[in-house]
Amino acid sequence: MLHSAEEQLHAQKKQTVFLTQLAAKTLPKGLHCLPLRLANEYFSLDPGQQQFPNHEKLANPKLYHYALFSDNILATAVVVNSTVLNAKNPSHHVFHIVTDRLNYGPMRMWFLSNPPGKATIEVQNIDEFTWLNDSYSPVLKQLGSQSMIDYYFSDQHANSDSNLKYRNPKYLSMLNHLRFYLPEIYPKLDKMVFLDDDVVVKKDLTGLWSIDMKGKVNGAVETCGESFHRFDRYLNFSNPVIVKNFDPHACGWAFGMNVFDLVEWRRQNITEIYHSWQKLNEERLLWKLGTLPPGLITFWNKTFPLNRSWHVLGLGYNPHVSSRDLENAAVIHYNGNMKPWLEIGLPKFRSYWSKYLDYDQPFLRECNINP
């Protein structure tokens, strides 16, 4: 009986993991409706009405520039709205959004019909980056390979708990890896803040630009308060190349809110370092998935630790994030499966996100998107 009970418990746990992963990857009906409605509206505009103002600010290095790469219109809107509403001088803030071909028109339409106050918006289509091709980018070549697609999605992995998290389309999206090409995309800028689309900004971020990063390229909040956030969690230390170059106990850090010194990035040739490691990992022997492992490698000894209050993580999986941390946070991050726009989102944290959307907006009403 004890053995039978243990077997049933294991089966239930396995099913829970599977259903959670499935819910995290499923697009709610309202979020499917929204880009369709926006696209219909966008392509009915005259070409002159499809343009954003303040084009001259896009390459001005004296302003505060943000990079945001996403195919989620609602999430992107919250990031922009929360940043602008908490900014001391919104007119000095510039948002550079890159999305995919499918969401390009809808994303532009959203910000044309919901302009972010005095801030400046740019929306680009990743498919128009003709320089970003598989002859230049090793990761782009790998993402399109049959072996990579089979690795993430073939049936032989379907029943493995450890591989469920890999079976997510985001890992095959170049938008997810675009963060490693900031100097190429924005050649005239000197410093940028990178924001993931599952964050909410709670305070003015202009202080990030005045931090002296002491020659480092990446400013990030470290995450080694727990043992599972050290390098050996993300990299394969049974591989001699990894053992030779890295410390398994080194402190990890978080993507999601990062300051990048693009002058130092170019000087230290960071993109080439990224490319060289991606080539070495073609068979996925150094790390398995995502952008954090290659980030830890690429910015090894090139990361400046930011104060923890700049970026508080865990709202997408940890119901016990302290209220004091939330109160002091400049940016809160819903990393994990329980995103605030999904039904499985943690209710206690949803209001931090939903307060930056106007649910009376016609497009949201038409698509039945509610708080």
Side-chain angles (χ1 to χ4, degrees), residues 24-35:
K25 290 182 285 185
T26 301
L27 190 67
K29 200 176 291 184
L31 295 189
H32 180 68
C33 161
L34 184 61

Side-chain angles (χ1 to χ4, degrees), residues 39-310:
N40 187 51
E41 198 74 21
Y42 179 75
F43 291 111
S44 68
L45 296 177
D46 294 329
Q49 297 174 303
Q50 295 177 345
Q51 305 307 312
F52 292 106
N54 304 321
H55 191 267
E56 72 283 354
K57 290 186 176 182
L58 298 178
N60 184 347
K62 295 180 180 179
L63 300 177
Y64 305 113
H65 294 266
Y66 301 86
L68 178 54
F69 309 137
S70 175
D71 58 2
N72 187 325
I73 295 163
L74 216 56
T76 302
V78 168
V79 176
V80 173
N81 290 347
S82 62
T83 307
V84 171
L85 288 171
N86 288 292
K88 292 176 182 175
N89 295 297
S91 62
H92 294 171
H93 295 253
V94 183
F95 296 88
H96 302 268
I97 299 165
V98 181
T99 189
D100 56 20
R101 180 169 53 87
L102 196 63
N103 289 283
Y104 174 68
M107 187 78 77
R108 290 179 72 86
M109 188 65 224
W110 175 268
F111 287 106
L112 286 168
S113 57
N114 300 275
K118 295 180 179 179
T120 299
I121 286 282
E122 174 186 42
V123 178
Q124 292 177 282
N125 177 359
I126 189 173
D127 291 343
E128 294 177 1
F129 298 162
T130 53
W131 53 269
L132 189 61
N133 51 57
D134 57 12
S135 63
Y136 172 66
S137 169
V139 71
L140 188 58
K141 185 176 182 179
Q142 292 165 21
L143 289 175
S145 70
Q146 191 58 47
S147 63
M148 182 72 82
I149 294 169
D150 288 345
Y151 179 74
Y152 284 137
F153 299 110
S154 68
D155 290 340
Q156 64 182 337
H157 295 299
N159 296 316
S160 168
D161 284 354
S162 64
N163 281 288
L164 276 171
K165 62 184 177 182
Y166 304 164
R167 298 165 65 82
N168 192 318
K170 77 173 186 177
Y171 296 123
L172 287 177
S173 170
M174 193 59 197
L175 281 175
N176 203 36
H177 297 266
L178 209 54
R179 64 195 70 189
F180 293 104
Y181 295 97
L182 290 174
E184 287 78 12
I185 304 170
Y186 309 108
K188 295 182 179 179
L189 299 181
D190 299 334
K191 205 168 196 179
M192 293 192 87
V193 167
F194 168 80
L195 296 173
D196 266 338
D197 66 0
D198 54 352
V199 306
V200 170
V201 175
K202 294 177 73 259
K203 296 185 179 179
D204 180 73
L205 297 185
T206 53
L208 290 169
W209 275 264
S210 60
I211 293 174
D212 177 9
M213 298 207 299
K214 306 185 186 306
K216 304 294 186 182
V217 179
N218 170 33
V221 168
E222 293 183 330
T223 56
C224 54
E226 304 288 346
S227 60
F228 59 82
H229 284 142
R230 297 186 181 272
F231 269 45
D232 58 356
R233 168 73 176 180
Y234 304 102
L235 306 178
N236 177 16
F237 276 89
S238 65
N239 188 293
V241 177
I242 295 294
V243 172
K244 180 182 176 182
N245 287 280
F246 305 102
D247 175 5
H249 304 297
C251 190
W253 47 265
F255 268 130
M257 196 291 299
N258 305 77
V259 191
F260 288 111
D261 184 332
L262 303 187
V263 175
E264 282 296 323
W265 186 314
R266 296 180 188 103
R267 191 182 71 79
Q268 299 183 36
N269 207 6
I270 298 298
T271 303
E272 190 52 44
I273 294 172
Y274 169 67
H275 281 174
S276 64
W277 280 103
Q278 283 289 358
K279 289 173 184 174
L280 288 173
N281 193 47
E282 188 169 0
E283 302 299 322
R284 295 174 299 281
L285 299 176
L286 307 185
W287 70 87
K288 287 185 177 179
L289 80 162
T291 53
L292 184 55
L296 295 175
I297 287 176
T298 301
F299 298 107
W300 170 246
N301 290 330
K302 297 173 174 58
T303 298
F304 179 82
L306 299 176
N307 186 291
R308 285 185 67 247
S309 64
W310 280 113

